[in-house]
């Protein structure tokens, strides 16, 4: 399968007075064309940082290394002028803060027209508005929304408006950051269905679906990546990750969830004792060491970062228990 | 919309009521009898033979007992005070006797409008623009921001003194005082307007430059906050240019600035009063000063009322304007 | 948690010591403090004493020159400086105290009290302070520096109340206050242990602004002839200079130095405030 996005040893730090916060610290993964790639992990593990930095790396974020290849093109250090063209047209985002992603003093219509015009000067205002109205109707919004201000919309409506705006130029890759978290169960379901429909209709090709609630991913994701404290710990098909988690963190994560079938639960990933490490001065070895029940080789686990290896075809794990020579835990 | 206006009007009426009542109450709350105080201080101030002074003193005492109506119960005094306000009777000036206070003040109002309106509006506009610019360029900001802070620290009138000294005394290119030359009579001729502008420019600059600093600081900080906001980040994520993002943040940052304009009016008025004194510019500030120097209490109280009314009216205008520029207010009051 | 809090403190301190605005602000302020401490040793005349040469530009004998009545302007300036500090301290202090109490109470209690107090605050905010000051001062027979400072403080608190209320609301909504509520702590305990410490730096900044504002207020008031009746003031010196035609006669030494002193005294306070602002809101930093 063709890879749409390939991320290698990618690092993004936050520059603060106290020092660097290593929020994304050497992650490796790829996203295939035409798939939904789920990203899960506890709050603060760097999911949003990863998503935001892929499209718009803005201070206090700082690029600290690695490669991001989108559609065969290295984009991690593109000059802003060129990257600007890629945004919205090739890669787009529904940010975690969708609730206040729109200026309160502008009508939705103006926001839509202004944003599209930045990319396509030739497109007439009417065409832009018509296109937007068509999409709004698809997500169950009336065309009146165009003349409203974001403050007049409910949370669910804002979420849908942002979903429509972000996909208006049919980007290849859409990053959807916690689009279900602020919603009630039925709106969550609706959002997920809409995303599916947009994919069906080819408005977007692939989606990176970020959530702290792994149960949402059963529904929608083809593959799942689990992050912990700025590192990738495991990647695999949704089936495999859910039914046969391998990494000790993933195991705890899955077992702390309610039984399968109880989907869209409000359950948070809090079932694991202890706290994630401080990303200002992260531990030198495995970042899960402190909370890990396994610690297959305590000396090594504490001092050396486990690499992400392909343990089985399509199954990637970063744990000393699954690297060659330590393979006792199959 | 109606609800918003009604609410505002009620608040301003209450404010006016309180302010006017203070105008009435403060002289009466001060230690001693205000009339004796006025008369004794006037006697100190005026020179002349003792017998003449005592005669004047006696007449003045009678006049003020009459004016303050201290011999009737306080609630009747208070009612009378309000009746006088509504009939436009603010008493008689002592220093320009027997000119009614209201006439003196009304003759000064046009000068104030032509002096205050342009300096306030222009400094607001230019200050916001420069502030937005400072927020954009780190290099400019390092020089501009401290400059703005120094500007807001200058007493308005002292900048006026400085300007007169430079342009009037040293360079001799601009007149030092008054609203127009003695030889002129106000008319719509080119010569007069030119002469008027020549007198107007320095007072204008004093007010303009000092207030500019405050607006620039406010705008600079607001824009920085707005550029960090989520909608700015979202626009950037969708490839919007810095130009468009700045346009959006300016649109939002101007709102608190407009509120600030209403709140700053009092400070600006204070600055205008002192500036008028430096330039002997015949507005209400200068009249107030003459009133203070000559212990003309009816004139002082009249100026107080007029300044309050002016500031309240301006606040009201700003409130109406605000309703048009902030959709949140509009929506809150049309739907809620 | 504790450690990171402490780290944050040091962080701020470090920021101050390396921040140019802070250094400049403190530097100017210290200069003026030094001037009022050491300056009096070189004062050889009382403010309204005939000192010799009339309307003399600065000389060795009269470092800031003399007025047309032969008053030594250096002596006047130094004496006026003391009064200026006093006004800033008392005026700023009174305004901060009242504003703190009212703003905090309104923000913390909310509901009816909040509505009532904020309406009062907003009403007083709209009434121009100068007008109130004029009407009060002009009916006072004798005005001491202290009295005028208190009056200035009494008219300046609404600004503080608004700011403090907003700050209280934002602190109130934070997690830790909820925690103390759950744990059954009383109102006073919550105030003392949770809110007050967080508020302290903020209040100090407000005080600095009020300090500067009070100085500007007394200067304006003195300039229109309603300053302290029993002592020299910077605004009073300037008023004298304008009334006695220093402008036309070009006596620059009479009107320039007091203005410079006022401007830089107030500006130094604003600089310190600006540096603190940047320390606590890193977004505002320009470098
Ligand atoms: N603007 C910022 N400045 C400094 N640190 C930040 C900033 N935003 C996020 N972080 C830190 O980066 C880490 C990852 O945050 P984030 O990507 O938002 O996590 P997630 O989306 O997984 O909840 C957290 O430790 C957070 O404290
Ligand atoms: Mg997130």
């Amino acid at each position: 399968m063709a890879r749409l996005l390939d991320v290698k040893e990618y690092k993004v730090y936050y520059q603060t007075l106290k020092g660097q916060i290593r929020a994304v610290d050497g992650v490796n993964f790829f996203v295939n064309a035409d798939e939904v790639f789920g990203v899960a992990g506890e709050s603060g593990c760097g999911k949003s940082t990863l998503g935001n930095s892929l499209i718009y790396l803005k201070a206090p974020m700082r690029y600290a290394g690695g490669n991001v290849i989108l559609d065969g093109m290295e984009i991690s250090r593109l000059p802003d002028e060129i990257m600007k063209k890629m945004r919205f047209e090739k890669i787009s985002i529904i940010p975690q803060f969708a609730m206040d992603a729109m200026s309160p003093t502008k009508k939705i219509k103006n926001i839509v027209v202004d944003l599209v015009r930045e990319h396509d000067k030739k497109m007439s205002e009417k065409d832009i508005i018509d296109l937007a109205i068509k999409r709004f109707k698809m997500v169950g919004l009336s065309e009146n929304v165009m003349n409203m201000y974001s403050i007049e919309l409910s949370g669910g409506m804002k979420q849908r408006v942002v979903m429509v705006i972000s996909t208006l130029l049919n980007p290849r890759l859409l990053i959807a950051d916690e689009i279900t978290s602020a919603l009630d169960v039925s709106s969550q379901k609706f959002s997920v269905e809409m995303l599916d429909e947009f994919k069906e209709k080819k408005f977007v090709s692939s989606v990176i679906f970020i959530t702290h609630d792994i149960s949402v991913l059963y529904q929608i994701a083809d593959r799942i990546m689990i992050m912990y404290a700025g590192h990738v710990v495991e990647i695999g098909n949704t089936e495999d990750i859910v039914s046969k988690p391998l990494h000790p963190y993933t195991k705890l994560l899955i077992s702390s969830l309610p039984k399968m079938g109880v989907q869209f639960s409000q359950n948070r990933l809090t079932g694991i004792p202890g706290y994630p490490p401080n990303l200002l001065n992260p531990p030198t070895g495995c970042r899960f060491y402190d909370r890990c029940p396994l610690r297959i080789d305590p000396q090594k686990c504490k001092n050396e970062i486990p690499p992400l290896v392909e343990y089985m075809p399509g199954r990637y794990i970063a744990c000393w228990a699954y690297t060659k020579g330590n393979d006792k835990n199959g | 919309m109606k609800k918003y206006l009604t609410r505002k009007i009620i608040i301003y009426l209450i404010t006016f009521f309180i302010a006017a009542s203070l105008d009435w109450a403060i002289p009466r709350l001060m230690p001693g009898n205000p009339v004796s105080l006025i008369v004794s201080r006037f006697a100190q101030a005026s020179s002349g033979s003792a017998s003449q002074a005592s005669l004047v003193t006696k007449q003045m005492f009678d006049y003020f007992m009459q004016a303050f109506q201290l011999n009737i119960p306080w609630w009747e005094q208070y009612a009378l005070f309000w009746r006088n306000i509504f009939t436009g009777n603010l008493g008689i000036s002592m220093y320009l006797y027997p000119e009614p206070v209201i006439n003196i003040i009304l003759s000064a109002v046009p000068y104030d409008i032509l002096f205050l309106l342009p300096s306030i509006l222009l400094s607001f506009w230019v200050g916001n623009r420069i502030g937005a610019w400072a927020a954009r360029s780190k290099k400019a900001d390092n020089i501009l921001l401290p400059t703005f802070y120094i500007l807001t620290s200058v007493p308005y009138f002292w900048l006026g003194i400085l300007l007169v000294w430079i342009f009037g005394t040293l360079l001799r290119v601009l007149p030092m005082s008054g609203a127009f030359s003695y030889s002129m009579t106000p008319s719509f001729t080119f010569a007069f307007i030119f002469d008027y502008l020549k007198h107007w420019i320095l007072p204008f600059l004093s007010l303009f430059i000092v207030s500019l600093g405050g607006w620039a600081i406010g705008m600079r900080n607001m824009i920085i906050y707005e550029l960090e906001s989520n909608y700015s980040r979202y626009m950037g994520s969708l490839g919007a240019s810095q130009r468009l993002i700045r346009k959006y943040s300016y649109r939002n940052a101007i709102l608190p600035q407009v509120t600030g304009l209403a709140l700053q009016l009092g400070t600006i008025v204070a600055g205008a009063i002192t500036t008028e004194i430096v330039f002997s510019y015949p507005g209400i500030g200068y009249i107030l000063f003459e009133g203070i120097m000559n212990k003309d209490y009816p004139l002082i109280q009249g100026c107080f009322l007029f300044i309050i009314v002016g500031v309240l009216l301006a606040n009201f205008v700003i409130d109406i304007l605000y309703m048009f520029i902030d959709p949140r207010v509009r929506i809150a009051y049309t739907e809620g | 948690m504790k450690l990171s809090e402490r780290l944050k403190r040091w962080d701020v301190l470090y920021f101050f010591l390396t921040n140019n605005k802070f250094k400049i602000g403190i530097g100017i302020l210290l200069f003026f403090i030094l001037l009022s401490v050491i300056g009096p040793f070189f004062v050889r005349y009382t403010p309204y004493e005939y000192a010799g040469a009339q309307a003399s530009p600065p000389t060795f004998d009269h470092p800031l020159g003399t007025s047309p009545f032969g008053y030594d302007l250096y002596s006047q300036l130094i004496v006026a400086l003391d009064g200026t500090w006093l006004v800033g301290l008392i005026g700023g202090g009174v305004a901060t105290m009242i504003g703190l109490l009212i703003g905090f109470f309104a923000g913390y209690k909310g509901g009816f009290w909040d509505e009532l107090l904020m309406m009062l605050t907003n009403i007083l905010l709209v009434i121009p302070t100068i007008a109130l000051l004029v009407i009060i001062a002009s009916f006072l027979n004798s005005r001491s520096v202290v009295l005028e400072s208190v009056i200035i403080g009494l008219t300046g608190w609404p600004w503080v109340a608004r700011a403090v209320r907003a700050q209280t609301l934002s602190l109130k909504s934070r997690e830790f206050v909820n925690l103390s509520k759950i744990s059954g702590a009383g109102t006073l305990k919550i105030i003392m242990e949770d809110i007050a410490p967080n508020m302290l730096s903020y209040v100090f900044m407000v005080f600095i602004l009020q300090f500067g504002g009070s100085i500007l207020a007394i200067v304006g008031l003195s300039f229109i002839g309603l300053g302290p009746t029993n002592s020299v003031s910077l605004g009073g010196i300037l008023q004298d200079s304008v009334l006695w035609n220093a402008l036309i006669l070009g006596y620059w030494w009479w009107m320039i130095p007091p203005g410079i002193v006022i401007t830089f005294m107030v500006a130094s306070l604003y600089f310190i405030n600006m540096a603190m602002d940047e320390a606590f809101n890193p977004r505002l930093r320009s470098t």
Side-chain angles (χ1 to χ4, degrees):
Chain A
M1 229 187 295
R3 289 182 180 182
L4 178 61
L5 181 77
D6 210 341
V7 176
K8 289 174 187 155
E9 283 303 319
Y10 187 49
K11 295 180 184 174
V12 178
Y13 297 166
Y14 286 101
Q15 198 64 51
T16 69
L17 266 187
K18 277 173 266 177
Q20 295 174 340
I21 297 191
R22 316 219 289 199
V24 172
D25 208 7
V27 300
N28 291 286
F29 67 94
F30 58 86
V31 178
N32 293 317
D34 206 25
E35 79 166 344
V36 175
F37 184 73
V39 176
E42 279 166 293
S43 283
C45 72
K47 306 179 300 291
S48 296
T49 309
L50 173 63
N52 290 330
S53 70
L54 288 177
I55 185 166
Y56 184 36
L57 206 146
K58 184 187 179 210
M61 273 189 227
R62 191 175 68 79
Y63 168 83
N67 296 92
V68 177
I69 295 154
L70 177 68
D71 235 357
M73 185 176 177
E74 158 64 62
I75 61 164
S76 65
R77 278 154 294 166
L78 278 184
D80 205 52
E81 278 317 304
I82 301 169
M83 191 59 200
K84 232 179 234 168
K85 284 298 289 173
M86 311 276 290
R87 297 180 187 130
F88 205 5
E89 292 176 38
K90 283 215 145 175
I91 176 171
S92 190
I93 187 168
I94 302 171
Q96 181 169 5
F97 47 79
M99 292 306 139
D100 50 350
M102 290 173 290
S103 168
T105 55
K106 293 273 187 182
K107 288 184 176 165
I108 305 298
K109 184 172 67 184
N110 299 89
I111 295 175
V112 170
V113 171
D114 282 346
L115 284 172
V116 174
R117 275 282 178 80
E118 291 280 296
H119 289 269
D120 192 346
K121 297 259 184 321
K122 283 188 281 272
M123 204 165 165
S124 77
E125 189 169 326
K126 189 175 171 303
D127 288 348
I128 299 172
I129 291 177
D130 286 348
L131 175 66
I133 288 177
K134 217 168 81 197
R135 300 262 173 110
F136 277 149
K137 288 197 171 139
M138 232 175 260
V139 297
L141 293 171
S142 85
E143 61 176 287
N144 294 341
V145 166
M146 288 300 259
N147 283 315
M148 288 188 176
Y149 294 92
S150 68
I151 36 172
E152 295 175 84
L153 305 173
S154 70
M157 285 163 95
K158 278 186 218 169
Q159 182 86 55
R160 279 182 259 169
V161 169
V162 171
M163 186 185 284
V164 167
I165 294 179
S166 293
T167 53
L168 216 49
L169 297 185
N170 298 350
R172 299 267 284 142
L173 177 65
L174 176 71
I175 299 160
D177 193 353
E178 306 275 12
I179 60 170
T180 54
S181 313
L183 305 177
D184 58 89
V185 173
S186 66
S187 319
Q188 278 188 1
K189 204 166 162 144
F190 186 79
S191 289
V192 170
E193 281 165 11
M194 279 304 121
L195 207 58
D196 244 358
E197 193 182 336
F198 275 28
K199 215 169 139 279
E200 203 100 305
K201 292 213 159 76
K202 300 283 177 215
F203 296 164
V204 300
S205 161
S206 299
V207 179
I208 296 181
F209 194 100
I210 296 174
T211 178
H212 67 266
D213 185 357
I214 197 169
S215 59
V216 177
L217 293 179
Y218 300 165
Q219 272 267 309
I220 186 166
D222 298 309
R223 294 192 304 135
I224 293 180
M225 167 165 97
I226 309 289
M227 285 182 73
Y228 185 80
H231 282 172
V232 172
V233 298
E234 187 165 5
I235 303 176
N237 291 330
T238 304
E239 293 291 272
D240 301 341
I241 295 275
V242 170
S243 58
K244 198 168 179 298
L246 295 178
H247 193 283
Y249 177 62
T250 319
K251 278 183 180 161
L252 281 167
L253 209 61
I254 299 286
S255 67
S256 75
L257 286 177
K259 288 273 171 311
M260 281 282 282
V262 189
Q263 281 152 9
F264 298 114
S265 88
Q266 298 288 325
N267 202 323
R268 291 178 166 207
L269 306 182
T270 49
I272 307 166
Y275 296 96
N278 185 348
L279 292 178
L280 185 60
N281 293 304
T284 42
C286 176
R287 294 201 175 164
F288 189 55
Y289 177 81
D290 273 351
R291 295 162 87 185
C292 184
L294 191 57
R295 290 186 192 169
I296 193 83
D297 179 351
Q299 209 47 36
K300 204 168 190 181
C301 288
K302 194 169 164 49
N303 296 316
E304 289 175 51
I305 298 174
L308 188 72
V309 296
E310 189 164 12
Y311 178 68
M312 289 184 293
R315 192 66 184 272
Y316 300 84
I317 301 166
C319 175
W320 287 119
Y322 298 93
T323 49
K324 282 186 195 81
N326 268 329
D327 201 354
K328 310 162 194 163
N329 201 278
Chain B
M1 186 158 153
K2 225 172 165 182
K3 220 164 121 191
Y4 176 78
L5 287 184
T6 324
R7 200 187 136 96
K8 289 289 176 187
I9 290 175
I10 291 175
I11 297 227
Y12 286 126
L13 285 179
I14 296 177
T15 310
F16 179 71
F17 174 79
I18 292 179
S21 301
L22 285 176
D23 191 26
W24 174 84
I26 288 172
R28 288 168 172 80
L29 286 175
M30 290 298 158
N33 175 337
V35 173
S36 323
L37 166 72
I38 294 169
V39 173
S40 75
R41 298 192 64 188
F42 195 76
Q44 280 166 22
S46 64
S47 52
S49 71
S51 64
Q52 200 186 346
S54 76
L55 186 68
V56 172
T57 306
K58 171 89 184 69
Q59 281 174 353
M60 277 187 40
F61 191 83
D62 292 344
Y63 169 76
F64 274 106
M65 283 308 280
Q66 178 73 18
F68 273 79
Q69 299 278 353
L70 285 183
N71 37 13
I72 60 175
W74 68 267
W75 62 85
E76 282 181 42
Q77 295 177 34
Y78 189 55
L80 200 68
F81 166 79
W82 277 106
R83 208 187 70 198
N84 285 340
I85 286 186
F86 285 117
T87 52
N89 174 10
L90 300 183
I92 305 287
S93 163
M94 296 149 53
Y95 144 74
L96 294 171
Y97 192 85
E99 192 69 14
V101 165
I102 183 104
N103 291 0
I104 302 174
I105 292 178
L106 283 179
S107 73
V109 167
Y111 294 106
D112 275 314
I113 292 176
L114 288 175
F115 164 45
L116 282 172
L117 224 50
S119 33
I120 292 175
L121 293 180
L122 275 174
S123 69
F124 184 73
W125 187 71
V126 176
N128 280 325
R129 286 280 150 190
I130 301 186
W133 184 61
R136 162 176 351 178
S137 142
K138 299 236 174 233
K139 251 191 218 146
D141 191 47
N142 271 328
I143 301 168
L144 285 179
L145 190 62
T147 313
F148 297 148
Y149 269 101
I150 291 178
L151 282 185
T152 43
S153 312
V154 180
Y156 288 84
F157 67 89
W158 186 68
L159 185 68
I161 291 180
L162 215 58
L163 289 174
V164 177
W165 181 55
I166 294 170
F167 292 100
T169 314
L170 294 180
L171 302 176
R172 294 177 183 281
V173 286
L174 286 170
M176 301 172 73
S177 66
F180 50 85
S181 304
Y182 288 118
S183 52
M184 295 264 179
T185 39
S187 59
F188 270 105
T189 60
F190 179 75
F192 177 77
I193 292 175
F194 184 68
D195 184 65
Y196 174 85
L197 285 177
K198 254 170 61 179
H199 284 79
W200 171 88
I201 185 78
L202 287 184
F204 162 80
L205 280 179
S206 319
L207 215 55
F208 172 81
I209 294 175
V210 175
S211 351
L212 185 126
W215 300 131
I217 295 169
M219 184 44 116
R220 179 249 182 207
N221 289 349
M222 284 313 304
I223 289 262
I224 288 178
Y225 275 113
E226 293 293 328
L227 286 178
E228 294 281 328
S229 71
N230 284 337
Y231 70 83
S232 296
R233 171 188 275 271
Y234 181 56
M235 292 175 75
S237 298
L238 296 191
S241 59
Q242 283 302 305
R243 216 193 92 261
L244 185 69
I245 299 176
R246 284 184 194 287
K247 211 174 104 187
Y248 272 56
S249 22
Y250 190 84
R251 178 71 182 76
N252 287 319
I254 197 81
L255 298 175
Q257 290 288 89
V258 170
T259 312
L261 178 59
L263 294 177
Q264 281 300 323
L265 281 176
T267 319
I268 299 175
V269 164
I273 293 172
T274 51
T275 307
E276 285 178 7
I277 296 171
V278 172
F279 291 93
S280 309
Y281 204 79
I284 290 185
Y286 188 62
I287 288 182
L288 176 66
F289 180 62
E290 304 232 289
I292 292 169
M293 288 288 108
N294 295 291
K295 322 272 184 252
D296 189 342
Y297 291 92
L299 196 56
I300 297 175
Q301 283 181 291
C303 289
F304 175 89
L305 272 185
F306 255 76
I307 292 172
I308 300 285
V309 170
V311 169
L312 290 187
L313 279 178
N315 263 276
F316 186 58
V317 171
I318 293 175
D319 278 335
I320 294 177
L321 188 84
Y322 193 83
M323 189 176 60
F324 283 104
I325 61 173
D326 190 347
R328 280 165 290 197
V329 174
R330 250 180 356 241
I331 290 160
Y333 280 91
T334 47
E335 288 174 356
Chain C
M1 193 63 208
K2 272 271 151 61
L3 185 73
S4 72
E5 282 280 288
R6 203 175 295 163
L7 265 176
K8 207 170 143 195
R9 298 257 157 81
W10 282 110
D11 198 48
V12 167
L13 186 68
Y14 175 78
F15 179 80
F16 279 137
L17 294 180
T18 54
N19 181 285
N20 280 331
K21 285 157 195 153
F22 188 73
K23 283 192 270 190
I24 295 174
I26 284 284
I28 301 175
L29 196 65
L30 283 178
F31 170 80
F32 284 120
I33 292 176
L34 218 64
L35 189 66
S36 3
V37 173
I38 297 179
F41 291 112
F42 302 96
V43 166
R44 286 177 294 134
Y45 308 93
T46 58
Y48 295 113
E49 175 183 343
Y50 184 78
Q54 290 174 356
S56 147
T59 59
F60 188 76
D61 267 348
H62 306 286
L64 291 179
T66 60
S67 76
F69 314 107
Y71 302 151
D72 180 50
L73 291 173
Y74 170 78
S75 310
Q76 288 200 341
L77 189 87
I78 293 298
V79 174
L81 205 53
D82 285 345
T84 309
W85 290 119
L86 201 59
V87 174
L89 272 176
I90 299 179
V94 169
T96 307
M97 286 299 282
I98 300 178
L100 183 63
L101 285 177
I102 291 187
F104 187 76
F105 187 73
Y108 191 77
K109 279 280 172 192
F112 168 77
W113 285 108
D114 188 28
E115 292 251 335
L116 184 79
L117 289 174
M118 277 305 114
M119 192 166 110
L120 182 72
T121 304
N122 287 332
I123 285 176
L124 287 179
L125 215 51
V126 171
I127 300 176
T129 313
I130 187 78
L132 275 181
L133 289 177
V134 164
I135 204 86
I136 297 173
S138 60
F139 279 93
L140 278 175
N141 215 350
S142 71
R143 303 180 290 264
S144 69
V145 179
V146 174
L147 182 64
E148 293 220 300
S149 315
V150 171
I151 295 173
I152 286 174
L154 288 176
T155 55
W157 64 262
W159 290 100
V160 183
R162 261 174 74 109
V164 167
R165 171 180 173 270
Q167 189 71 6
T168 309
L169 287 180
S170 98
L171 284 175
K172 204 172 95 172
S173 66
R174 290 189 202 162
E175 204 82 15
F176 60 88
V177 178
N178 286 337
L179 273 180
S180 10
K181 257 189 192 146
I182 292 168
S183 65
T187 307
L188 191 69
K189 195 157 179 268
I190 295 173
I191 293 173
M192 293 317 290
E193 288 180 4
D194 294 332
I195 301 185
N198 282 280
M199 205 82 168
L200 216 62
S201 58
Y202 190 73
V203 167
F204 185 67
M205 283 166 66
V206 168
F207 171 69
I208 289 179
L209 284 185
Q210 288 297 317
F211 197 113
S214 302
I215 291 178
L216 286 178
I218 191 73
V219 165
L221 206 56
S222 312
F223 186 72
I224 59 179
L226 293 172
T229 45
N230 59 352
S231 62
V232 237
S233 65
L234 293 172
I237 299 177
L238 286 169
Q239 193 211 15
D240 281 344
S241 78
V242 167
L243 281 183
W244 299 102
N245 294 323
L247 274 167
I248 297 169
L249 301 169
Y251 299 156
W252 56 267
W253 58 89
W254 199 356
M255 48 201 190
I256 302 300
I260 291 180
V261 169
I262 298 162
T263 301
F264 283 93
M265 230 168 132
V266 176
S268 72
L269 294 168
Y270 287 177
F271 271 49
I272 293 169
N273 179 73
M274 171 171 49
M276 291 183 74
D277 216 5
E278 287 178 2
F280 296 116
N281 302 304
R283 290 190 283 189
L284 293 176
R285 292 172 195 172
S286 52
T287 39

PDB file of all heavy atoms in Angstrom, chain B residues 6 18 21 153 238:
ATOM      1  N   THR B   6     -31.774  51.069  26.645  1.00  0.00           N
ATOM      2  CA  THR B   6     -32.503  51.455  27.854  1.00  0.00           C
ATOM      3  C   THR B   6     -31.628  51.258  29.076  1.00  0.00           C
ATOM      4  O   THR B   6     -31.520  52.118  29.941  1.00  0.00           O
ATOM      5  CB  THR B   6     -33.758  50.572  28.018  1.00  0.00           C
ATOM      6  OG1 THR B   6     -34.286  50.298  26.727  1.00  0.00           O
ATOM      7  CG2 THR B   6     -34.784  51.249  28.876  1.00  0.00           C
ATOM      8  N   ILE B  18     -25.937  60.907  40.636  1.00  0.00           N
ATOM      9  CA  ILE B  18     -24.950  60.834  41.718  1.00  0.00           C
ATOM     10  C   ILE B  18     -23.934  61.976  41.609  1.00  0.00           C
ATOM     11  O   ILE B  18     -23.646  62.673  42.587  1.00  0.00           O
ATOM     12  CB  ILE B  18     -24.226  59.474  41.692  1.00  0.00           C
ATOM     13  CG1 ILE B  18     -25.205  58.372  42.062  1.00  0.00           C
ATOM     14  CG2 ILE B  18     -23.021  59.478  42.629  1.00  0.00           C
ATOM     15  CD1 ILE B  18     -24.613  56.981  42.053  1.00  0.00           C
ATOM     16  N   SER B  21     -25.429  65.278  42.468  1.00  0.00           N
ATOM     17  CA  SER B  21     -25.674  65.369  43.903  1.00  0.00           C
ATOM     18  C   SER B  21     -24.381  65.637  44.659  1.00  0.00           C
ATOM     19  O   SER B  21     -24.371  66.367  45.653  1.00  0.00           O
ATOM     20  CB  SER B  21     -26.308  64.070  44.413  1.00  0.00           C
ATOM     21  OG  SER B  21     -27.513  63.844  43.729  1.00  0.00           O
ATOM     22  N   SER B 153       3.864  58.750  30.602  1.00  0.00           N
ATOM     23  CA  SER B 153       4.287  59.280  31.901  1.00  0.00           C
ATOM     24  C   SER B 153       4.414  60.802  31.893  1.00  0.00           C
ATOM     25  O   SER B 153       4.541  61.415  32.950  1.00  0.00           O
ATOM     26  CB  SER B 153       5.642  58.687  32.297  1.00  0.00           C
ATOM     27  OG  SER B 153       5.652  57.304  32.127  1.00  0.00           O
ATOM     28  N   LEU B 238      -4.450  26.607   8.406  1.00  0.00           N
ATOM     29  CA  LEU B 238      -5.076  26.458   7.093  1.00  0.00           C
ATOM     30  C   LEU B 238      -4.375  27.336   6.055  1.00  0.00           C
ATOM     31  O   LEU B 238      -4.939  27.636   5.002  1.00  0.00           O
ATOM     32  CB  LEU B 238      -6.564  26.784   7.156  1.00  0.00           C
ATOM     33  CG  LEU B 238      -7.391  25.836   8.028  1.00  0.00           C
ATOM     34  CD1 LEU B 238      -8.877  26.067   7.829  1.00  0.00           C
ATOM     35  CD2 LEU B 238      -7.056  24.379   7.742  1.00  0.00           C
TER      36      LEU B 238
END
